[in-house]
């Protein structure tokens, strides 16, 4: 990578950022495409987020990715965000459009793209979604936009799932959405109808984590998606044993990164290169 007077700067705002995969993925992508861009990690303390955000304009940066703990707070410091991103309440990508900062959430679209790549299409499907955090909401909006037929939500904290239902109903009405208690997730009356099961919880991130749901009740035709990206989770191992199709969250990460790349550079992202870099990075981490 050769830095010149014309190098364009993109960044990552988080706290901490030291273990993020994104700098490796994006810098490799810029290099692959021969673009004079650089992606830098910025460890921004919460008390400095406002100043850091205004610096995007002051330093004429192209944009940033935003990660924990800033995804919600940064909204207050941006010039505009699409209505849906406002409802999701979290931004992961900022674009500097001639001095105006626009915030987006590319999680849901990244999720949809990653499924599409595997030949799974969401239209008219029945989907069971576990979890009701930020990722769950972003994914749910996209599921509805893709015209699924039915969405079944379950979450450890029932009230949070109900709140999510309310948000989803604010902009869409055609999809049949139902909330079931977490305690009933392993014996669902509707289990035979489910075609796609998505785990959006953090259960599975750590080595000893159990599966957030038992797959025994589902037909083997169910497609299982786990947004956890750093390992093959117990849920995915179960799916594999049952002969189900399955996918981990690394693809979602790659595609949401690819969408950000396109917004910043106006070029299609080299997805294969990004995937290879991310996979190698995770393998190295396992080995270290
Ligand atoms: P994100 O933005 O990544 O989705 P989040 O907003 O903190 O993160 O949401 C985490 C999700 O994982 C929530 O659905 C959470 O359930 P609660 O709403 O009950 O907190 C879920 N989660 C985390 N740990 C869990 C556990 N041990 N068992 C079940 N669900 C869990």
């Amino acid at each position: 990578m050769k830095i010149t007077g014309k190098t364009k700067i993109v960044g990552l705002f988080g706290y901490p950022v030291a273990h993020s995969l994104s700098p490796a993925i994006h810098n490799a992508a810029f290099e692959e495409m021969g673009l004079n861009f650089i992606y830098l990690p910025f460890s921004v303390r919460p008390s400095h987020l406002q100043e850091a955000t205004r610096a995007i304009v002051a330093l004429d940066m192209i944009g940033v990715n935003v990660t924990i703990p800033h995804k919600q707070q940064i909204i207050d410091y941006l010039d505009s965000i699409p209505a849906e991103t406002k409802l999701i309440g979290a931004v992961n990508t900022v674009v500097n459009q001639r001095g105006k900062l626009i915030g987006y959430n590319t999680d849901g679209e990244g999720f949809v793209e990653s499924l599409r790549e595997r030949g799974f299409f969401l239209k008219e499907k029945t989907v069971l979604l576990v979890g009701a955090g930020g990722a769950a909401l972003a994914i749910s909006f996209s599921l509805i936009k893709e015209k699924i037929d039915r969405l079944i939500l379950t979450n450890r904290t029932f009230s949070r799932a109900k709140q999510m239902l309310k948000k989803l109903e604010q902009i869409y009405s055609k999809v049949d959405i139902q909330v079931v208690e977490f305690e009933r997730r392993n014996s669902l009356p509707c289990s035979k109808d489910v075609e796609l099961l998505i785990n959006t919880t953090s259960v599975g991130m750590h080595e000893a984590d159990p599966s957030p749901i038992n797959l025994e009740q589902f037909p083997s035709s169910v497609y299982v998606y786990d947004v956890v990206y750093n390992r093959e989770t117990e849920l995915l191992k179960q799916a594999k044993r049952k002969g189900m199709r399955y996918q981990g969250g690394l693809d979602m990460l790659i595609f949401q990164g690819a969408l950000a790349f396109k917004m910043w550079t106006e070029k299609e992202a080299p997805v294969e290169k990004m995937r290879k870099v991310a996979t190698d990075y995770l393998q190295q981490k396992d080995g270290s």
Side-chain angles (χ1 to χ4, degrees), residues 68 71-72 90 107 130-137 154-158 160-161 182 185 199-203 209-210 212 227:
I68 292 165
K71 285 174 152 193
Q72 288 87 22
D107 282 341
V130 187
L137 189 59
T154 189
N155 188 52
R156 179 178 62 179
T157 310
F158 190 72
R160 226 176 152 196
F182 200 59
R185 71 193 183 287
N199 172 46
T200 68
T201 75
S202 46
V203 181
D209 281 356
V227 303

